[in-house]
Amino acid sequence: MKELSWFLLLVAFVPQILAQLPVEKIYGVNLGSWLLLEAWMLPQEWTDMGGQICSDCAQCIETEFAFAKAYPDTVDQTFAKHWDSWFTQSDLQDLKNAGINTLRIPLGYWIIEALVERPAENYPRGGLEYLRRGLGWIRDAGMHVILDHHALPGVQTPGMEFAGQCTDDVQFYTPHNYHRALVWTAVMTTLSHLDPQFSSVFSIEAINEPIRDASKTPGYGDFQKNFVKTVRAVETLLGIQVTGYSANLPASLPTTNFTAALQQACSMSLFDANIVDALADAIPILLGIGSQYGLAGTFTSELFNSRRSPLVTGFMDTNWQYDIGSNPADAAIGPQGYDHHIYYSFGGVAAPNPTAYMQSICNFQSIQHEAALGNSPLWVGEWGLPTEFYPSDSFLKQWGDAQKWAYSQSAGWIYWNFKAEISNMTNGTQLARQWSYLEGVNMGLLTQDPASYFDDNVCQPYINKTSPQSRSGPTEDIAVANARVVNRSTPGNVPSLKPSSHGRGRFAKKHHLF
């Protein structure tokens, strides 16, 4: 057993050195529902905007796609007001005061407007301006950012608000939409290195919560590899040294016109064909962004040799998928991190009572199991206080402590979400009580210092006292594998520790969380 423990420690330790994380431990929150709105998190604001709430998000105006289609003449102005008010400098200061050092920003592909294929696709325009403004605030605050590609071209997961369009017609897993996602990647990588507003970005996550059944995601393993190659191709052209990657660039490439360097590299086929195609299509988009945001010189005439470190490429951990899914560790070139999502509130993890929850989380083994598969460093990129039962404040304090203790065995954690609406439609603070980090701190349910605990020994009574109703680690994945079909209309049937979570809005309401 000692030999196994040392092996797991070594597996976890070595990649963490390579990952070049900007902090010793990630203490983060998601900026959910800012640049990718999910109506369940702010139902009063959403209905005031003109949206709707219904039992099936495909049947009403409950997503950005549906809203843009319903209000084509006013959607941009309406969303500009939301972007301006949902995440503010005051919010950021509150987060900094609460000890948060990392922000994961969920984004739709339409933040790069040129990728939207109108008129078939409908989304609000203008979000990039607010992203750049917010990133500037975050940079000035000395905090760090993961750009999370949360909603992908063609929709990557059926029936979910977080995909931007609620539909069962999933088209992401096709050559055309893989290509569009790689173009998005090339643009975002370039901005992350050359736009001063993006200097707080240390990681780009390729995709949020793909379909869990790998048999329904053809080509996803190749996409993972091409995503990494796209990031590294841009960085190599920028003069950034990436361990394990060499493109043997000719000395004739320009060093004072990055878009010209991209064009020449494409004409010389210095990279794989899929990467060349993505870089080529990124060039006019970058030129357009440069013209719009005063970056034309940055992209076309200034010395562009970057002194920044390589970005950390990010993926959901390998056990997110079942049925012989691909291992994202196989795609790694240079620093790479892995994102693990975990919610207990949808059932199938532990019996719905405090003791079973504590026994389960205090014996959490997924971090070690993922490390043994090369998925390290790993952070828990989504978690929260929601439960299947109505919890007392005293239990929520214990529940928060125990989760932080368990997840801090990894590279860190990122809470979903930084805030949630408080209104009559959310029964006052009942939604925010379990979904808002800031409200959790304000209510005394989470510690002011994210590295501290109300009870340093919170898990001591529960360690190694698991039961069949308290599952973590490999059994989590067995539960997922046995659940080929999820009935999204009945939350009690959701079998997974990590459900396609942003259906959590509809599920949460049916669990009477607010």
Side-chain angles (χ1 to χ4, degrees), residues 379-427:
W379 50 80
V380 178
E382 292 191 20
W383 68 282
L385 295 182
T387 58
E388 294 175 86
F389 51 89
Y390 191 86
S392 66
D393 285 357
S394 61
F395 175 71
L396 286 183
K397 292 172 69 173
Q398 187 182 33
W399 183 225
D401 267 4
Q403 289 191 85
K404 290 196 300 179
W405 177 83
Y407 308 152
S408 291
Q409 312 310 308
S410 71
W413 48 258
I414 305 172
Y415 193 95
W416 188 281
N417 187 43
F418 83 107
K419 77 181 198 181
E421 183 179 85
I422 298 174
S423 69
N424 289 336
M425 289 189 71
T426 63
N427 192 15

Side-chain angles (χ1 to χ4, degrees), residues 28-34 36 38 40-42 86 95 104-106 343 381-386 414-421 431-432 434-440 446 502 504:
V29 296
N30 285 272
L31 298 187
S33 229
W34 177 36
L36 174 49
E38 298 180 45
W40 69 271
M41 297 173 63
L42 59 163
W86 182 250
L95 291 169
R104 179 174 179 255
I105 305 181
Y343 295 97
E382 292 191 20
W383 68 282
L385 295 182
I414 305 172
Y415 193 95
W416 188 281
N417 187 43
F418 83 107
K419 77 181 198 181
E421 183 179 85
L431 177 68
Q434 292 180 265
W435 288 103
S436 166
Y437 190 85
L438 288 174
E439 193 61 26
L446 295 165
H502 302 262
R504 58 186 165 226

Side-chain angles (χ1 to χ4, degrees), residues 249-441:
L249 299 181
S252 60
L253 284 178
T255 58
T256 57
N257 184 332
F258 183 64
T259 51
L262 281 174
Q263 185 65 59
Q264 188 170 330
C266 291
S267 67
M268 299 173 70
S269 298
L270 296 180
F271 309 105
D272 294 348
N274 288 321
I275 313 309
V276 167
D277 290 345
L279 297 179
D281 284 351
I283 294 170
I285 296 175
L286 288 168
L287 290 172
I289 291 173
S291 176
Q292 184 175 359
Y293 294 104
L295 296 169
T298 301
F299 295 149
T300 63
S301 62
E302 296 175 8
L303 184 68
F304 59 77
N305 189 284
S306 177
R307 297 188 179 185
R308 292 199 63 198
S309 299
L311 293 171
V312 176
T313 50
F315 294 98
M316 299 293 297
D317 57 294
T318 188
N319 281 321
W320 176 260
Q321 288 196 310
Y322 61 84
D323 200 4
I324 317 178
S326 55
N327 187 342
D330 296 337
I333 304 171
Q336 186 156 292
Y338 304 87
D339 184 5
H340 187 83
H341 293 182
I342 174 170
Y343 295 97
Y344 277 65
S345 53
F346 308 107
V349 183
N353 65 74
T355 299
Y357 270 40
M358 294 298 292
Q359 287 176 342
S360 174
I361 195 61
C362 291
N363 293 280
F364 185 67
Q365 296 294 314
S366 292
I367 295 163
Q368 294 92 324
H369 297 141
E370 296 289 355
L373 296 171
N375 284 204
S376 180
L378 176 144
W379 50 80
V380 178
E382 292 191 20
W383 68 282
L385 295 182
T387 58
E388 294 175 86
F389 51 89
Y390 191 86
S392 66
D393 285 357
S394 61
F395 175 71
L396 286 183
K397 292 172 69 173
Q398 187 182 33
W399 183 225
D401 267 4
Q403 289 191 85
K404 290 196 300 179
W405 177 83
Y407 308 152
S408 291
Q409 312 310 308
S410 71
W413 48 258
I414 305 172
Y415 193 95
W416 188 281
N417 187 43
F418 83 107
K419 77 181 198 181
E421 183 179 85
I422 298 174
S423 69
N424 289 336
M425 289 189 71
T426 63
N427 192 15
T429 60
Q430 288 306 300
L431 177 68
R433 177 175 179 255
Q434 292 180 265
W435 288 103
S436 166
Y437 190 85
L438 288 174
E439 193 61 26
V441 171

Side-chain angles (χ1 to χ4, degrees), residues 211-257:
I211 292 175
R212 305 202 65 164
D213 184 348
S215 69
K216 296 180 180 179
T217 60
Y220 179 52
D222 289 336
F223 168 72
Q224 292 174 330
K225 294 176 181 178
N226 287 331
F227 168 83
V228 174
K229 290 178 181 178
T230 299
V231 172
R232 301 309 178 211
V234 170
E235 291 179 333
T236 298
L237 290 171
L238 286 169
I240 297 170
Q241 298 298 312
V242 181
T243 302
Y245 187 78
S246 175
N248 297 317
L249 299 181
S252 60
L253 284 178
T255 58
T256 57
N257 184 332

Side-chain angles (χ1 to χ4, degrees), residues 110-252:
W110 55 92
I111 197 84
I112 304 301
E113 295 167 15
L115 290 173
V116 178
E117 296 177 342
R118 302 178 187 277
E121 296 176 339
N122 308 271
Y123 291 101
R125 291 168 288 200
L128 184 59
E129 176 183 347
Y130 292 88
L131 173 62
R132 295 185 72 247
R133 184 182 75 172
L135 288 175
W137 296 342
I138 296 167
R139 174 202 61 204
D140 294 344
M143 300 162 79
H144 308 282
V145 170
I146 298 170
L147 297 179
D148 161 37
H149 203 175
H150 211 73
L152 285 93
V155 178
Q156 80 273 23
T157 307
M160 294 295 168
E161 289 180 20
F162 78 79
Q165 178 185 5
C166 190
T167 177
D168 287 331
D169 184 20
V170 174
Q171 294 295 322
F172 171 64
Y173 307 97
T174 62
H176 175 63
N177 285 319
Y178 281 140
H179 169 73
R180 286 205 287 169
L182 294 178
V183 177
W184 186 96
T185 302
V187 172
M188 283 300 184
T189 302
T190 302
L191 291 174
S192 295
H193 285 295
L194 293 184
D195 185 348
Q197 297 295 99
F198 278 69
S199 60
S200 59
V201 175
F202 75 92
S203 179
I204 298 179
E205 187 168 354
I207 177 173
N208 176 72
E209 298 186 359
I211 292 175
R212 305 202 65 164
D213 184 348
S215 69
K216 296 180 180 179
T217 60
Y220 179 52
D222 289 336
F223 168 72
Q224 292 174 330
K225 294 176 181 178
N226 287 331
F227 168 83
V228 174
K229 290 178 181 178
T230 299
V231 172
R232 301 309 178 211
V234 170
E235 291 179 333
T236 298
L237 290 171
L238 286 169
I240 297 170
Q241 298 298 312
V242 181
T243 302
Y245 187 78
S246 175
N248 297 317
L249 299 181
S252 60

